[in-house]
Amino acid sequence: MRLLIFNILLLFSTQSWSQTDLGIGLVSIDFDDQTVLEFYSDTLATKPEKVIEFFDDRTINSWNIKNLEKQKEWLKPEVLWLDYFAFTFLCLTKTDNWFELIVNNENGETYWLKKTEKTKFNNWEDYLKDMFGVARLSSFSQKIRTEPDENSKEIEYQGTDCFVVESMDGDWIKITTPDYCDENFTDSKTPIKSGWIKWRQGNKMIIEYFTTS
């Protein structure tokens, strides 16, 4: 049962868009029922192209976005999981006052959002280190290595991937098996004490990450 729950969380906690660019990092929105986000075509525009308004939705006992189904026609961010306060965009550009965000991971459409106390930027290393776990993509076969090098020794591993990120070295991330990913959770008798996998190949992400347990 725990393994089934893990797989369901993995499916719904990460996006499967055809990402056009991984950007320089990610911007997460710390929203509440008073949050209004205005998205601009560029930093000199005086009128926003899109506006998102949050509200307290008593029907679901959670914050929600007004006209969400209509907004989803253009709004396809990296993470949109309002129940867990997860609303995150890939970031292409960061200035003193603005973020250029990919608002649609399917077609690469971008808008500019002003920096506020509601916006938080993380580079990819810090973001992935903060995740509940990561796993290799089943569609991209790769081995776990002792060093961040394709020619380094392979670490044998069987079972379901359930790792956390300790550090990053370019295209590689150093992983370990946390205590909560024990044998009952992963069907694995070979926990990883220290290993390396690639998190990207060129500009394509080749791991999955999940935000919560």
Side-chain angles (χ1 to χ4, degrees), residues 45-142:
T46 58
K47 182 179 179 180
E49 293 288 328
K50 303 289 184 181
V51 178
I52 292 176
E53 296 182 66
F54 286 81
F55 71 104
D56 185 3
D57 191 343
R58 301 299 177 85
T59 64
I60 60 174
N61 294 318
S62 179
W63 307 148
N64 206 345
I65 293 174
K66 292 182 179 179
N67 303 314
L68 180 57
E69 291 308 311
K70 181 69 175 177
Q71 300 281 31
K72 280 184 177 180
E73 293 178 5
W74 65 272
L75 182 66
K76 295 175 172 62
E78 177 70 5
V79 178
L80 177 57
W81 200 4
L82 300 181
D83 288 350
Y84 284 85
F85 298 95
F87 189 28
T88 304
F89 297 87
L90 296 174
C91 180
L92 288 183
T93 310
K94 179 168 65 79
T95 72
D96 289 342
N97 300 307
W98 295 85
F99 296 111
E100 184 186 13
L101 306 178
I102 297 179
V103 297
N104 188 324
N105 277 28
E106 290 184 345
N107 61 22
E109 183 177 21
T110 66
Y111 284 125
W112 291 84
L113 181 69
K114 290 181 179 178
K115 288 184 179 180
T116 69
E117 69 279 358
K118 298 288 186 182
T119 57
K120 179 183 179 182
F121 174 82
N122 277 310
N123 60 37
W124 272 108
E125 179 174 7
D126 290 340
Y127 184 76
L128 291 177
K129 286 166 67 174
D130 197 40
M131 293 297 100
F132 178 80
V134 300
R136 291 169 291 178
L137 279 181
S138 59
S139 60
F140 188 93
S141 177
Q142 63 168 315

Side-chain angles (χ1 to χ4, degrees), residues 142-180:
Q142 63 168 315
K143 306 297 185 182
I144 301 174
R145 303 290 181 179
T146 56
E147 301 292 339
D149 188 314
E150 295 279 11
N151 297 317
S152 65
K153 184 179 178 181
E154 176 187 346
I155 298 176
E156 295 291 338
Y157 181 81
Q158 295 180 343
T160 301
D161 282 10
C162 181
F163 311 122
V164 292
V165 177
E166 291 192 328
S167 62
M168 181 179 290
D169 184 355
D171 294 345
W172 295 80
I173 48 176
K174 186 178 182 181
I175 58 170
T176 187
T177 302
D179 291 340
Y180 50 78

